[in-house]
């Protein structure tokens, strides 16, 4: 019974296996990046960048249809352009970086929807906005796997400066390190993982598998490596549960995956060591002799 429900769909159908591998690869890359986003208090910036890839993905779609390389390249260029413009606006004006990101993300979202609607149908627009995880093919898995590998390798190589730049960028400047280089490197990783995610979850939900597991992980662990491991685990479990439930009950796979990630996050808010119940428990007072 349990095998038929939880394992048989992946054993019997190739598209389910490919979707599960895509979720695994996405979780491996997006989980650690999401933890660093939460650590930097840049969660809304991640959401803004997820919408920023839409115009480039839309242009790639118009040129080559649902070609992952074309849409991925377009989304990558658009995401980097918005990140660069937002950073430039924050440095050259009185606007904070989050405000400049918000402005450019709204422009990007509107432009992307307009581009797709000019040449595509409503179904094409839905595919771009919400993704088609059950339609991922070999090329998509290879691209997502390559992005996840680059992400994990980059974080491993530059772990200390990335963490220091997240916690105290002034320290890097004090020791003579240009923190702006690592800030750009981090934004590059965010854009890369959003490009990996939009093919499967769409531009509107790609950031979900990055932020929800990371937010839940922060409630369960205090040390950064443990947070990253938990975030990856939550993302993978959410992908597996979401695919199984959507297969048996005929639901949309992408939203179901994110709803499971959201459910784990909500349970963590209550039951995690840093959750609500732990805060409500009376603390023991130490007696002094």
């Amino acid at each position: 019974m349990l095998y038929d429900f939880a394992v048989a769909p992946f054993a019997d159908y190739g598209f389910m296996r490919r979707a599960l591998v895509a979720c695994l690869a996405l979780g491996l890359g997006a989980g650690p990046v999401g933890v660093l986003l939460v650590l930097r208090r840049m969660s809304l910036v991640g959401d803004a960048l997820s919408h920023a890839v839409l115009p480039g993905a839309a242009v790639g779609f118009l040129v080559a249809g649902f070609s992952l390389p074309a849409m991925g390249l377009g989304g990558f260029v658009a995401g980097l352009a918005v990140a660069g413009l937002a950073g430039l606006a924050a440095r050259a004006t009185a606007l904070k970086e989050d405000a400049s990101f918000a402005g450019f993300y709204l422009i990007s979202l509107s432009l992307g929807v307009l581009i797709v609607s000019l040449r595509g149908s409503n179904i094409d627009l839905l595919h771009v906005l919400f993704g088609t995880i059950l339609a991922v093919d070999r090329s998509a898995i290879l691209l997502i796997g390559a992005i996840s590998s680059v992400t994990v390798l980059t974080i491993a190589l530059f772990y200390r400066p990335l963490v220091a730049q997240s916690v105290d960028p002034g320290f890097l400047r004090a020791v003579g390190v240009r923190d702006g280089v690592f800030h750009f490197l981090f934004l590059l990783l965010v854009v890369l993982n959003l490009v990996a995610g939009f093919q499967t979850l769409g531009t509107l939900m790609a950031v979900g598998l990055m932020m929800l597991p990371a937010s839940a992980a922060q409630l369960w662990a205090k040390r950064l490596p443990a947070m990253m491991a938990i975030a990856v685990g939550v993302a993978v479990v959410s992908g597996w549960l979401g695919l199984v439930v959507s297969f048996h009950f005929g639901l949309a796979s992408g939203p179901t995956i994110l709803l499971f990630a959201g459910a784990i996050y909500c349970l963590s808010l209550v039951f995690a060591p840093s959750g609500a119940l732990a805060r409500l428990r009376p603390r023991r007072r130490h007696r002094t002799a």
Side-chain angles (χ1 to χ4, degrees):
M1 185 70 176
L2 182 60
Y3 174 87
D4 292 336
F5 183 81
V7 180
F10 304 106
D12 296 338
Y13 299 99
F15 69 91
M16 289 292 288
R17 290 194 295 272
R18 289 190 293 271
L20 183 61
V21 171
C23 287
L24 174 61
L26 282 174
L28 286 172
V33 172
V35 169
L36 290 176
L37 266 176
V38 172
L39 190 66
R40 291 165 177 252
R41 299 180 181 179
M42 292 177 61
S43 303
L44 293 180
V45 171
D47 184 53
L49 282 175
S50 71
H51 296 83
V53 304
L54 180 56
V59 171
F61 164 73
L62 293 183
V63 172
F66 283 105
S67 168
L68 182 60
M71 294 176 68
L73 179 61
F76 178 70
V77 172
L80 280 186
V82 169
L85 288 172
L88 184 63
R91 292 176 184 270
T93 67
L95 278 178
K96 298 292 185 180
E97 191 174 32
D98 58 343
S100 58
F101 266 109
F104 282 109
Y105 117 73
L106 290 170
I107 295 171
S108 299
L109 179 61
S110 303
L111 180 62
V113 172
L114 182 62
I115 291 173
V116 176
S117 63
L118 284 176
R119 294 283 300 275
S121 64
N122 290 334
I123 295 177
D124 295 329
L125 180 60
L126 287 175
H127 284 168
V128 173
L129 292 177
F130 298 105
T132 50
I133 192 168
L134 295 182
V136 293
D137 54 12
R138 184 172 179 271
S139 63
I141 291 177
L142 289 176
L143 178 60
I144 296 170
I147 289 175
S148 297
S149 300
V150 169
T151 300
V152 173
L153 181 61
T154 303
I155 291 177
L157 288 175
F158 301 103
Y159 179 79
R160 288 177 180 268
L162 283 173
V163 173
Q165 207 274 331
S166 301
V167 178
D168 187 8
F171 170 77
L172 289 181
R173 291 191 293 268
V175 297
V177 178
R178 299 180 62 183
D179 68 297
V181 174
F182 293 103
H183 184 65
F184 177 78
L185 177 63
F186 175 69
L187 290 178
L188 181 66
L189 292 178
V190 173
V191 173
L192 275 174
N193 281 273
L194 289 174
V195 168
F198 87 81
Q199 173 69 10
T200 54
L201 298 174
T203 57
L204 290 185
M205 296 189 298
V207 73
L209 210 59
M210 186 181 293
M211 296 312 308
L212 287 171
S215 300
Q218 194 177 31
L219 296 167
W220 288 99
K222 296 296 183 182
R223 298 178 62 85
L224 204 56
M227 287 184 195
M228 291 182 176
I230 292 172
V232 172
V234 171
V236 172
V237 170
S238 301
W240 171 63
L241 290 175
L243 288 172
V244 168
V245 171
S246 65
F247 175 83
H248 288 290
F249 297 97
L251 304 174
S253 298
T256 306
I257 291 171
L258 291 189
L259 280 176
F260 272 104
I264 295 174
Y265 168 67
C266 291
L267 290 173
S268 301
L269 287 174
V270 179
F271 298 106
S274 297
L277 286 182
R279 295 283 181 108
L280 292 175
R281 290 172 189 160
R283 297 182 179 179
R284 295 180 180 179
R285 296 182 179 179
H286 297 282
R287 296 180 180 179
T288 57

